[in-house]
Amino acid sequence: MPCSLVPPLLPLPLNLSLVAPQFCGTCQRECIPIRSESRCLCGHRHKEHQQDHAAGAWRCGSKGCTCPGFFYIVAEGAWVLRCRCKHKHIEHSPATRACAKPGCSCAAFDSPWVCNCDHPWAQHTQVEVYRGSGGDMAAMMRSAAADVNRWDLLRRGADEPQDGGSNGGGSGRSGGSSSGVGVA
């Protein structure tokens, strides 16, 4: 019975999803993961925003909302980030980010909050990355499997020049060896 050395190709399960972590520009690390329940300046959740590929933004899908794109606001339970003007995020215009409270001169939402990385809120930005259910490792494995599982391209010595050298042509990997024992 002949033995097959070629294993069957098995697809690696990988469910890619777009995530937008809060990234610190000072220490170059991902500080806060933005999830579907994360809040936007407009008061709606991330899950209520749809990606607008043409504009490159996550537009709010709630009826009547003027939010041009998801703008992450740090929140933990009932605590929600406030602006330097001491007003809540929902008291700012989502379109201009200026405070909408009468008599307030705040031109744009800005918070004195400091992240766990010891850098101010203003040093953080949202970045969009695709992640799989297994994280970045799963994406690397799928990429590696695409190359490794190409059994039709794996021929011993196929990529090395056949120069007819003293060791049987090419380097010791292509059939010859220094011990004089050839590999077929």
Side-chain angles (χ1 to χ4, degrees):
M1 176 196 262
C3 177
S4 174
L5 296 177
V6 180
L9 292 176
L10 298 175
L12 294 174
L14 182 62
N15 299 321
L16 288 177
S17 61
L18 184 66
V19 293
Q22 195 73 356
F23 183 81
C24 180
T26 304
C27 64
Q28 300 295 307
R29 70 177 234 191
E30 183 180 307
C31 294
I32 304 167
I34 298 175
R35 297 185 170 85
S36 63
E37 292 296 322
S38 296
R39 298 177 199 213
C40 177
L41 184 72
C42 69
H44 298 108
R45 305 284 181 172
H46 187 266
K47 66 182 177 183
E48 297 174 271
H49 290 72
Q50 289 86 31
Q51 189 173 17
D52 182 354
H53 295 287
W58 286 80
R59 300 215 184 264
C60 188
S62 297
K63 197 170 196 168
C65 187
T66 61
C67 177
F70 185 80
F71 185 76
Y72 178 66
I73 297 296
V74 180
E76 183 66 39
W79 179 85
V80 178
L81 188 70
R82 287 186 181 242
C83 182
R84 288 188 190 277
C85 70
K86 309 251 190 277
H87 296 124
K88 297 177 184 177
H89 66 287
I90 54 175
E91 296 171 323
H92 287 73
S93 165
T96 64
R97 297 186 184 151
C99 189
K101 281 287 223 187
C104 186
S105 61
C106 174
F109 187 91
D110 183 43
S111 178
W113 178 79
V114 175
C115 180
N116 288 338
C117 71
D118 289 329
H119 295 111
W121 175 81
Q123 296 298 317
H124 291 75
T125 57
Q126 288 172 203
V127 293
E128 293 183 352
V129 292
Y130 285 92
R131 293 235 172 89
S133 57
D136 292 334
M137 180 58 86
M140 281 189 339
M141 288 177 63
R142 180 177 285 287
S143 174
D147 294 335
V148 172
N149 287 337
R150 293 292 313 267
W151 292 97
D152 59 319
L153 298 178
L154 294 177
R155 290 186 300 262
R156 188 171 204 117
D159 62 338
E160 297 178 14
Q162 298 295 324
D163 62 357
S166 62
N167 65 354
S171 69
R173 295 182 303 184
S174 66
S177 70
S178 60
S179 66
V181 178
V183 180

